[in-house]
Amino acid sequence: MIGELGGVPLYGYLAISVILFTMGTLGVLIRRNALIIFMSVELMLNAANLAFVAFAANYGVLTGQIFVFFVMTVAAAEVAVGLALIVAIFHTKHSIDVDQMSSLKG
Amino acid sequence: MNLTLILFYVLGAVAVLTALGLLVSRSAVYAVLYLVLNFATVAVFYLLLGAPFIALTQVTVYAGAIMVLFLFVVMLLGAEKLPKGKVLPWQRPLAIGLAVVLLAEAGYLLFQRIQATAVLSAPGTELNTTEALRTLALSLFNQYLLPFEVTSILLLVAMVGAIVLTKKEKGEQA
């Protein structure tokens, strides 16, 4: 499997990765719901992971997979803190619309 | 056209469509479910790429733990839908234009680089699943032991941070 990618060319995976990353960026840019913006960031991280694994399989090395493992751990930590922030903001503002989070204090 | 290629095209279509669903869905709960499906298809991509450990981590950590946390917060806040507010009129076209530029740029650079380095691609070394997993584990606990341990501290800090952020101060009204 490793090296020949199981009959699928490398650029197929990279195309999926690029498309998913762009859609994640688009989600961050056009949505107002903080939760959905956060999910779009997760989508972007996932697209980067896919490119990592595709390259790792293409070159027959496992370093890419190790990196993906670390990215996943960092994403888990990020989600824990980010969701706590969103809950805290919701408790003070009673909304998770990012357009309303325009003041630094309270 | 072999079976793997057909599977790849179907999964690719599902991945792109679910990402699109995340972008356009009005309800946050639907968005979470679309994203779970997206993560599951990406996990199958990892299986196709010969990375079973990463695929299972994807399912348990991403599609499992992280998305359940998202779903929990969405339902806890009861903020599935935002009320119609005033939207900047130029925001959406500008964002779509910029995204198209990003897509073209990233696609062009990646494919140009692929063509330049395609000859470097290692010849296929057949690794069976157990052997690949063994190599991954040895690499993780020898060469990357320090990052692995730092990761544990990062998770601890994130946990403490989440508790501090959501805890109410003593004497503070809810």
Side-chain angles (χ1 to χ4, degrees):
Chain A
M1 241 3 148
I2 289 177
E4 61 170 355
L5 303 189
V8 182
L10 173 66
Y11 58 79
Y13 289 105
L14 290 180
I16 296 283
S17 172
V18 167
I19 291 171
L20 289 184
F21 190 88
T22 311
M23 293 178 95
T25 322
L26 196 56
V28 171
L29 288 177
I30 64 174
R31 296 307 299 259
R32 288 182 304 133
N33 190 330
L35 278 166
I36 293 185
I37 288 178
F38 206 18
M39 282 188 250
S40 302
V41 173
E42 295 301 315
L43 189 66
M44 290 161 76
L45 283 172
N46 220 45
N49 280 351
L50 185 61
F52 263 130
V53 175
F55 275 118
N58 187 52
Y59 290 108
V61 290
L62 288 171
T63 322
Q65 294 190 24
I66 305 258
F67 256 89
V68 169
F69 181 74
F70 287 128
V71 170
M72 278 181 185
T73 331
V74 172
E78 174 221 337
V79 164
V81 177
L83 287 178
L85 275 173
I86 289 179
V87 170
I89 289 170
F90 186 79
H91 279 157
T92 53
K93 296 249 179 202
H94 301 285
S95 169
I96 50 170
D97 189 341
V98 283
D99 284 352
Q100 297 187 8
M101 299 175 198
S102 49
S103 57
L104 283 175
K105 188 170 186 296
Chain B
M1 189 185 266
N2 60 6
L3 201 63
T4 320
L5 211 52
I6 297 172
L7 186 63
F8 174 79
Y9 281 128
V10 173
L11 284 174
V14 171
V16 172
L17 286 179
T18 47
L20 201 63
L22 169 72
L23 285 189
V24 300
S25 68
R26 298 257 55 108
S27 159
V29 177
Y30 289 155
V32 171
L33 295 178
Y34 278 127
L35 199 54
V36 169
L37 193 53
N38 188 283
F39 285 166
T41 51
V42 172
V44 183
F45 280 143
Y46 292 159
L47 280 180
L48 287 178
L49 284 165
F53 173 68
I54 295 298
L56 289 180
T57 318
Q58 169 90 2
V59 171
T60 50
V61 174
Y62 257 122
I66 291 183
M67 293 325 286
V68 166
L69 204 58
F70 264 108
L71 206 53
F72 184 73
V73 169
V74 168
M75 291 178 171
L76 177 78
L77 297 186
E80 291 88 9
K81 290 190 178 113
L82 286 183
K84 285 269 177 206
K86 68 174 197 291
V87 191
L88 297 174
W90 43 264
Q91 185 184 14
R92 196 158 289 196
L94 182 67
I96 290 173
L98 285 175
V100 168
V101 170
L102 175 69
L103 185 68
E105 211 172 2
Y108 173 72
L109 281 177
L110 269 177
F111 289 103
Q112 195 195 35
R113 192 55 59 87
I114 291 302
Q115 275 157 9
T117 59
V119 283
L120 288 180
S121 176
T125 45
E126 286 288 333
L127 280 178
N128 63 37
T129 309
T130 329
E131 193 57 40
L133 198 56
R134 189 182 147 81
T135 322
L136 188 70
L138 281 175
S139 174
L140 191 59
F141 288 106
N142 285 310
Q143 197 184 351
Y144 295 96
L145 183 63
L146 183 65
F148 185 80
E149 296 297 339
V150 171
T151 295
S152 68
I153 297 176
L154 177 75
L155 284 175
L156 178 71
V157 170
M159 195 168 71
V160 173
I163 294 170
V164 169
L165 280 173
T166 47
K167 192 170 74 88
K168 284 192 180 60
E169 295 284 327
K170 205 175 273 184
E172 187 194 350
Q173 292 300 308

